[in-house]
Amino acid sequence: MRQPAGEDEWRADRGDALTAESSGLPGLYLHLPFCSAICPYCDFAVLTGGRQQRARFVDSLLAEIALWRAAAASWRTFDTVYFGGGTPSALAPADLARILAAARAALPVAADAWIAFEANPEDVDAESLRRWRDLGVAMLSLGVQSFDAGTLRFLGRRHTPDQARQAVTLALAAGFPSVSIDLIYGADEAAGGGPPGSAPVAAGDAPDEPGPPAGATDELAAAAPGPPARWRPGSLARWRRDLEQAVALGPHHLSCYQLTIHEGTPFGFREARGELRQLPDDAQADLFRLTHSFLGRHGYEAYEVSNFARAPEHRSRHNPKYWDHTPYLGLGPSAHSFAGRKRWWNERKLGAWQAKIAAGELPIAGGEELGQRELALEELMLALRTTAGIDLPGFRRRHGIDLAADNRHLIAGLIARGLLAEPHDRLAPTLSGLAVADTLARNFEIG
C-alpha cells in the first residue's frame, strides 16, 4: 500500500505540531502475538502457541515484510522500530534478529533507528539481556505490573515480586540506554475494594495507610485518605507501595495504566457475573493524582497521561508518532498503520493473517480515510492527553480552524475550572485536566 498523494506536503506543515520526542519520520511497529500465558484482562491479539506455531509465525512475518518491499520507496526513513505484542521476549533472540534483519533489508530502516522492546520479568536473565542489547534495543520495557504477590496472581502474571525486582536490576546493569517499568493500578478496587482475591475491604478494616510526607503536593494530599470510603484505604496504600518499590529500583521511565475491564476477556465475563467492577470515577481520580504527584516528587516528569521519564532523553521516541499523526507502519496480526489521511489494520486472527500472506496478499482486513474534521478532532483529543498540549497557531494552519476564537467561552470555563492552561499560544491540560483528558475535547467546536 502506497502512502496517499500529498503525504510529503501534509508532513511539511507538521513541524509545529510535533511533540519534542517526535522527529516527524515514520515508525515501524512489529506485533509478535505470543505470550507464555494469556492475562485475564488482556484484549490484544495474543496466543500462547508452541514451538512449531511460533516458527511458522516468524516465516509469515518475514514474508509480510517482503511484501512491503515494493512500496518501500513511498515511506520515508523509519527512525524507530517497536517490538510489541504479545510478549516479544517469548521469541528466541535468533528469530528476533532475523525479523529485524529482514526489516532492514526490505524497508528504509535507519541504521541508527531507536528500537523499543517489551519483555516479561520471567524471561530476563544475563544471556537474554545480552542478546537484546546486541539487537540494538534502546528502550527495554518490563511488564512488571505490580510488586504485590496477590495482585500479580489476580492479574494472571507468571512472575513473582522478587523476579520483577531482579529483572529491573539486571536490565539496568546491562546498560540499556532506557529501562522502563509497566505498572497497573486499580486491581484491588476491581476485585471489590480489598486485596485481589480477598473479601471486600470495609472502611476502617484495611491496614493503616501512611499519610502524605512532609512537603507533599496538594494533589498528593487530595489523594490521601479523607472521609471514609470503602475502597480508598487499601487501594491507595497498596498502589503507593508499588510506586515506592518502582522508584527505589531507579528505572529511567515508568508507564502506569489503570486496569480496564474489556468485554470478551475473562475479566469481562467476571464483571458480567457481578464478580468484578470497573473503577468508579472517584477511585480513578484519586489513584491518578497520587500517581502523578508521587512520581513528580521523585523526579519522574509526566509527558503523557500514563508515561513518566526521569529526563527527556528517556521518553519514548516511538509512541509520540501515534499521538501527533506521524505516519507509522504496523506489521503482524492486528497491527494498525497510518499515513496521511488513511488508517488501515491487519487481520486479527493468526490463521486469516497467514492465509493472505501465503496467497501473496498484504494481510489487510480494513481501513478508513479520515476527513479534515476527523483529523482535527483526533489531533485535539490526542494532544490533550500530553503535557505539551496543542499548538494553536499550528492547528489553525493545518486545519483552517481557529480553535481559540471558535471556543472562547468553553476555553475560559475550562481554565476557570482548573482543567486547562493557555501558555504561549498553546492549550495544555493541567493535572486535573489530564485526569479527564478523554472528555476534554468532546465539547469543542471543530469546523
Side-chain angles (χ1 to χ4, degrees):
M1 177 178 290
R2 294 203 166 262
Q3 289 176 282
E7 166 67 8
D8 289 340
E9 291 80 359
W10 186 83
R11 289 297 308 167
D13 193 36
R14 292 291 300 165
D16 49 18
L18 302 176
T19 65
E21 297 78 40
S22 179
S23 64
L25 294 173
L28 178 63
Y29 173 80
L30 299 166
H31 185 78
L32 313 182
F34 297 103
C35 291
S36 56
I38 309 303
C39 298
Y41 56 87
C42 180
D43 71 335
F44 296 143
V46 297
L47 66 159
T48 51
R51 181 176 300 177
Q52 290 185 345
Q53 190 175 35
R54 296 184 187 200
R56 289 194 297 271
F57 164 80
V58 172
D59 289 341
S60 296
L61 184 58
L62 297 179
E64 183 185 9
I65 292 170
L67 287 172
W68 277 96
R69 183 188 293 270
S74 65
W75 291 89
R76 299 169 66 193
T77 304
F78 294 104
D79 70 343
T80 63
V81 178
Y82 195 105
F83 286 91
T87 311
S89 59
L91 285 186
D95 287 331
L96 297 168
R98 289 175 63 205
I99 292 167
L100 184 58
R104 290 189 182 280
L107 300 168
V109 177
D112 61 349
W114 184 91
I115 300 174
F117 186 86
E118 296 176 350
N120 278 341
E122 65 268 25
D123 296 328
V124 173
D125 57 32
E127 177 61 16
S128 63
L129 291 169
R130 184 186 67 78
R131 299 290 293 272
W132 300 336
R133 285 284 285 128
D134 289 345
L135 281 177
V137 171
M139 175 178 273
L140 179 64
S141 180
L142 297 172
V144 170
Q145 316 312 354
S146 178
F147 294 99
D148 178 80
T151 301
L152 290 173
R153 287 193 297 272
F154 174 72
L155 294 174
R157 307 298 295 182
R158 295 170 65 89
H159 62 273
T160 66
D162 284 343
Q163 283 179 306
R165 285 186 283 268
Q166 182 181 32
V168 177
T169 301
L170 288 173
L172 289 167
F176 290 90
S178 295
V179 174
S180 181
I181 294 177
D182 283 5
L183 295 174
I184 292 177
Y185 60 85
D188 49 340
E189 173 63 9
S198 73
V201 173
D205 288 345
D208 290 337
E209 179 184 357
T217 62
D218 292 339
E219 291 82 7
L220 183 58
R230 178 170 177 258
W231 71 273
R232 272 178 150 182
S235 295
L236 285 171
R238 278 183 289 277
W239 177 233
R240 182 181 283 123
R241 287 195 292 271
D242 269 348
L243 293 174
E244 288 169 347
Q245 292 184 70
V247 301
L249 291 167
H252 307 99
H253 185 280
L254 283 158
S255 296
C256 299
Y257 303 105
Q258 175 189 310
L259 176 64
T260 302
I261 300 175
H262 297 281
E263 290 185 12
T265 64
F267 273 8
F269 297 132
R270 291 184 62 184
E271 182 189 32
R273 295 194 299 267
E275 298 172 4
L276 298 179
R277 62 181 180 182
Q278 298 280 3
L279 277 173
D281 290 345
D282 60 342
Q284 293 180 32
D286 285 357
L287 289 166
F288 180 89
R289 284 180 174 276
L290 172 58
T291 304
H292 281 253
S293 300
F294 184 93
L295 292 179
R297 288 191 303 108
H298 287 81
Y300 291 87
E301 182 181 359
Y303 63 100
E304 193 262 352
V305 164
S306 303
N307 288 282
F308 308 80
R310 280 168 49 185
E313 61 266 27
H314 296 307
R315 297 176 181 179
S316 173
R317 299 185 193 176
H318 181 85
N319 288 351
K321 298 179 189 298
Y322 304 140
W323 308 335
D324 65 16
H325 284 149
T326 298
Y328 53 89
L329 176 63
L331 305 179
S334 82
H336 282 56
S337 304
F338 177 83
R341 297 177 180 273
K342 292 186 177 180
R343 180 179 289 115
W344 63 98
W345 48 89
N346 278 357
E347 295 285 353
R348 180 179 176 91
K349 293 188 178 297
L350 183 64
W353 174 77
Q354 289 178 316
K356 284 190 174 180
I357 293 171
E361 303 175 24
L362 291 174
I364 295 172
E368 60 183 352
E369 183 160 357
L370 303 180
Q372 189 64 35
R373 184 180 183 280
E374 293 170 303
L375 278 173
L377 180 59
E378 193 169 273
E379 179 180 331
L380 177 63
M381 293 178 67
L382 292 170
L384 291 181
R385 290 178 56 87
T386 70
T387 56
I390 193 159
D391 172 65
L392 292 170
F395 190 89
R396 183 168 59 249
R397 285 193 297 274
R398 287 187 296 280
H399 303 293
I401 298 170
D402 191 333
L403 197 66
D406 294 348
N407 296 273
R408 184 176 296 107
H409 295 300
L410 174 64
I411 291 171
L414 293 172
I415 291 174
R417 292 167 56 195
L419 299 176
L420 283 182
E422 199 171 4
H424 310 296
D425 287 329
R426 302 188 73 86
L427 278 183
T430 63
L431 177 61
S432 295
L434 279 177
V436 293
D438 291 338
T439 64
L440 275 182
R442 292 179 182 173
N443 294 323
F444 277 79
E445 289 292 332
I446 303 292

